[in-house]
PDB file of all heavy atoms in Angstrom:
ATOM      1  N   SER B 155     -10.423  59.000  43.647  1.00  0.00           N
ATOM      2  CA  SER B 155      -9.732  59.028  42.357  1.00  0.00           C
ATOM      3  C   SER B 155     -10.469  59.934  41.366  1.00  0.00           C
ATOM      4  O   SER B 155      -9.888  60.672  40.650  1.00  0.00           O
ATOM      5  CB  SER B 155      -9.584  57.611  41.770  1.00  0.00           C
ATOM      6  OG  SER B 155      -8.849  56.826  42.670  1.00  0.00           O
ATOM      7  N   GLN B 156     -11.736  59.695  41.348  1.00  0.00           N
ATOM      8  CA  GLN B 156     -12.601  60.472  40.377  1.00  0.00           C
ATOM      9  C   GLN B 156     -12.531  61.986  40.665  1.00  0.00           C
ATOM     10  O   GLN B 156     -12.554  62.798  39.770  1.00  0.00           O
ATOM     11  CB  GLN B 156     -14.099  60.007  40.509  1.00  0.00           C
ATOM     12  CG  GLN B 156     -14.333  58.678  39.840  1.00  0.00           C
ATOM     13  CD  GLN B 156     -13.759  58.598  38.363  1.00  0.00           C
ATOM     14  OE1 GLN B 156     -14.035  59.470  37.608  1.00  0.00           O
ATOM     15  NE2 GLN B 156     -12.883  57.548  38.214  1.00  0.00           N
ATOM     16  N   GLY B 157     -12.519  62.356  41.976  1.00  0.00           N
ATOM     17  CA  GLY B 157     -12.468  63.729  42.387  1.00  0.00           C
ATOM     18  C   GLY B 157     -11.115  64.300  41.859  1.00  0.00           C
ATOM     19  O   GLY B 157     -11.061  65.428  41.399  1.00  0.00           O
ATOM     20  N   ALA B 158     -10.059  63.583  42.098  1.00  0.00           N
ATOM     21  CA  ALA B 158      -8.739  63.993  41.682  1.00  0.00           C
ATOM     22  C   ALA B 158      -8.649  64.187  40.150  1.00  0.00           C
ATOM     23  O   ALA B 158      -8.143  65.205  39.631  1.00  0.00           O
ATOM     24  CB  ALA B 158      -7.647  63.069  42.142  1.00  0.00           C
ATOM     25  N   ILE B 159      -9.254  63.217  39.404  1.00  0.00           N
ATOM     26  CA  ILE B 159      -9.267  63.220  37.972  1.00  0.00           C
ATOM     27  C   ILE B 159      -9.981  64.542  37.470  1.00  0.00           C
ATOM     28  O   ILE B 159      -9.485  65.269  36.608  1.00  0.00           O
ATOM     29  CB  ILE B 159     -10.030  62.066  37.389  1.00  0.00           C
ATOM     30  CG1 ILE B 159      -9.144  60.814  37.563  1.00  0.00           C
ATOM     31  CG2 ILE B 159     -10.373  62.295  35.857  1.00  0.00           C
ATOM     32  CD1 ILE B 159      -9.928  59.488  37.331  1.00  0.00           C
ATOM     33  N   LEU B 160     -11.087  64.870  38.117  1.00  0.00           N
ATOM     34  CA  LEU B 160     -11.907  66.040  37.744  1.00  0.00           C
ATOM     35  C   LEU B 160     -11.118  67.342  37.915  1.00  0.00           C
ATOM     36  O   LEU B 160     -11.027  68.202  37.066  1.00  0.00           O
ATOM     37  CB  LEU B 160     -13.248  66.035  38.521  1.00  0.00           C
ATOM     38  CG  LEU B 160     -14.305  66.903  37.935  1.00  0.00           C
ATOM     39  CD1 LEU B 160     -14.844  66.217  36.678  1.00  0.00           C
ATOM     40  CD2 LEU B 160     -15.460  66.989  38.936  1.00  0.00           C
ATOM     41  N   ALA B 161     -10.453  67.424  39.119  1.00  0.00           N
ATOM     42  CA  ALA B 161      -9.671  68.590  39.348  1.00  0.00           C
ATOM     43  C   ALA B 161      -8.510  68.751  38.373  1.00  0.00           C
ATOM     44  O   ALA B 161      -8.189  69.862  37.852  1.00  0.00           O
ATOM     45  CB  ALA B 161      -9.173  68.644  40.760  1.00  0.00           C
ATOM     46  N   MET B 162      -7.818  67.698  38.068  1.00  0.00           N
ATOM     47  CA  MET B 162      -6.695  67.732  37.114  1.00  0.00           C
ATOM     48  C   MET B 162      -7.118  68.012  35.731  1.00  0.00           C
ATOM     49  O   MET B 162      -6.510  68.758  35.010  1.00  0.00           O
ATOM     50  CB  MET B 162      -5.898  66.410  37.211  1.00  0.00           C
ATOM     51  CG  MET B 162      -5.145  66.219  38.504  1.00  0.00           C
ATOM     52  SD  MET B 162      -4.634  64.558  38.819  1.00  0.00           S
ATOM     53  CE  MET B 162      -3.316  64.386  37.704  1.00  0.00           C
ATOM     54  N   ASP B 163      -8.287  67.406  35.343  1.00  0.00           N
ATOM     55  CA  ASP B 163      -8.814  67.617  33.992  1.00  0.00           C
ATOM     56  C   ASP B 163      -9.213  69.109  33.871  1.00  0.00           C
ATOM     57  O   ASP B 163      -8.907  69.722  32.813  1.00  0.00           O
ATOM     58  CB  ASP B 163     -10.059  66.769  33.791  1.00  0.00           C
ATOM     59  CG  ASP B 163     -10.498  66.634  32.346  1.00  0.00           C
ATOM     60  OD1 ASP B 163      -9.798  67.222  31.524  1.00  0.00           O
ATOM     61  OD2 ASP B 163     -11.510  66.028  32.059  1.00  0.00           O
ATOM     62  N   ARG B 164      -9.761  69.729  34.927  1.00  0.00           N
ATOM     63  CA  ARG B 164     -10.260  71.118  34.739  1.00  0.00           C
ATOM     64  C   ARG B 164      -9.091  72.080  34.888  1.00  0.00           C
ATOM     65  O   ARG B 164      -9.141  73.146  34.296  1.00  0.00           O
ATOM     66  CB  ARG B 164     -11.282  71.341  35.835  1.00  0.00           C
ATOM     67  CG  ARG B 164     -12.221  72.472  35.463  1.00  0.00           C
ATOM     68  CD  ARG B 164     -13.521  72.519  36.164  1.00  0.00           C
ATOM     69  NE  ARG B 164     -14.396  71.454  35.849  1.00  0.00           N
ATOM     70  CZ  ARG B 164     -15.541  71.209  36.471  1.00  0.00           C
ATOM     71  NH1 ARG B 164     -15.835  71.927  37.552  1.00  0.00           N
ATOM     72  NH2 ARG B 164     -16.375  70.197  36.138  1.00  0.00           N
ATOM     73  N   HIS B 165      -8.116  71.767  35.776  1.00  0.00           N
ATOM     74  CA  HIS B 165      -7.146  72.859  36.086  1.00  0.00           C
ATOM     75  C   HIS B 165      -5.697  72.524  35.668  1.00  0.00           C
ATOM     76  O   HIS B 165      -4.860  73.384  35.679  1.00  0.00           O
ATOM     77  CB  HIS B 165      -7.134  73.145  37.593  1.00  0.00           C
ATOM     78  CG  HIS B 165      -8.453  73.456  38.115  1.00  0.00           C
ATOM     79  ND1 HIS B 165      -9.032  74.710  37.882  1.00  0.00           N
ATOM     80  CD2 HIS B 165      -9.349  72.739  38.825  1.00  0.00           C
ATOM     81  CE1 HIS B 165     -10.271  74.754  38.495  1.00  0.00           C
ATOM     82  NE2 HIS B 165     -10.477  73.555  39.024  1.00  0.00           N
ATOM     83  N   GLY B 166      -5.474  71.236  35.242  1.00  0.00           N
ATOM     84  CA  GLY B 166      -4.050  70.877  34.920  1.00  0.00           C
ATOM     85  C   GLY B 166      -3.638  71.197  33.521  1.00  0.00           C
ATOM     86  O   GLY B 166      -4.477  71.413  32.616  1.00  0.00           O
ATOM     87  N   ALA B 167      -2.341  71.398  33.399  1.00  0.00           N
ATOM     88  CA  ALA B 167      -1.806  71.604  32.022  1.00  0.00           C
ATOM     89  C   ALA B 167      -1.880  70.355  31.250  1.00  0.00           C
ATOM     90  O   ALA B 167      -1.974  69.270  31.799  1.00  0.00           O
ATOM     91  CB  ALA B 167      -0.312  72.113  32.150  1.00  0.00           C
ATOM     92  N   ASP B 168      -1.713  70.478  29.866  1.00  0.00           N
ATOM     93  CA  ASP B 168      -1.888  69.295  28.993  1.00  0.00           C
ATOM     94  C   ASP B 168      -0.852  68.225  29.319  1.00  0.00           C
ATOM     95  O   ASP B 168      -1.263  67.039  29.309  1.00  0.00           O
ATOM     96  CB  ASP B 168      -1.717  69.735  27.508  1.00  0.00           C
ATOM     97  CG  ASP B 168      -2.966  70.478  27.061  1.00  0.00           C
ATOM     98  OD1 ASP B 168      -3.999  70.463  27.781  1.00  0.00           O
ATOM     99  OD2 ASP B 168      -2.922  71.153  26.039  1.00  0.00           O
ATOM    100  N   ASP B 169       0.372  68.557  29.598  1.00  0.00           N
ATOM    101  CA  ASP B 169       1.381  67.537  29.863  1.00  0.00           C
ATOM    102  C   ASP B 169       1.036  66.775  31.128  1.00  0.00           C
ATOM    103  O   ASP B 169       1.284  65.514  31.267  1.00  0.00           O
ATOM    104  CB  ASP B 169       2.795  68.090  29.877  1.00  0.00           C
ATOM    105  CG  ASP B 169       2.971  69.249  30.888  1.00  0.00           C
ATOM    106  OD1 ASP B 169       1.900  69.803  31.345  1.00  0.00           O
ATOM    107  OD2 ASP B 169       4.074  69.560  31.229  1.00  0.00           O
ATOM    108  N   ILE B 170       0.428  67.403  32.118  1.00  0.00           N
ATOM    109  CA  ILE B 170       0.093  66.717  33.383  1.00  0.00           C
ATOM    110  C   ILE B 170      -1.027  65.777  33.109  1.00  0.00           C
ATOM    111  O   ILE B 170      -1.095  64.582  33.494  1.00  0.00           O
ATOM    112  CB  ILE B 170      -0.293  67.679  34.498  1.00  0.00           C
ATOM    113  CG1 ILE B 170       1.018  68.445  34.859  1.00  0.00           C
ATOM    114  CG2 ILE B 170      -0.982  67.035  35.613  1.00  0.00           C
ATOM    115  CD1 ILE B 170       0.805  69.307  36.052  1.00  0.00           C
ATOM    116  N   LYS B 171      -2.000  66.231  32.271  1.00  0.00           N
ATOM    117  CA  LYS B 171      -3.130  65.395  31.935  1.00  0.00           C
ATOM    118  C   LYS B 171      -2.614  64.131  31.193  1.00  0.00           C
ATOM    119  O   LYS B 171      -3.030  63.006  31.440  1.00  0.00           O
ATOM    120  CB  LYS B 171      -4.132  66.128  30.994  1.00  0.00           C
ATOM    121  CG  LYS B 171      -4.866  67.264  31.763  1.00  0.00           C
ATOM    122  CD  LYS B 171      -5.932  67.828  30.775  1.00  0.00           C
ATOM    123  CE  LYS B 171      -6.282  69.217  31.186  1.00  0.00           C
ATOM    124  NZ  LYS B 171      -7.286  69.781  30.405  1.00  0.00           N
ATOM    125  N   ALA B 172      -1.690  64.401  30.258  1.00  0.00           N
ATOM    126  CA  ALA B 172      -1.193  63.230  29.415  1.00  0.00           C
ATOM    127  C   ALA B 172      -0.434  62.290  30.324  1.00  0.00           C
ATOM    128  O   ALA B 172      -0.551  61.026  30.034  1.00  0.00           O
ATOM    129  CB  ALA B 172      -0.272  63.800  28.315  1.00  0.00           C
TER     130      ALA B 172
END
Side-chain angles (χ1 to χ4, degrees):
S155 301
Q156 287 310 309
I159 290 166
L160 201 68
M162 289 162 73
D163 193 2
R164 202 163 290 172
H165 306 284
D168 286 346
D169 54 343
I170 289 185
K171 293 186 202 182

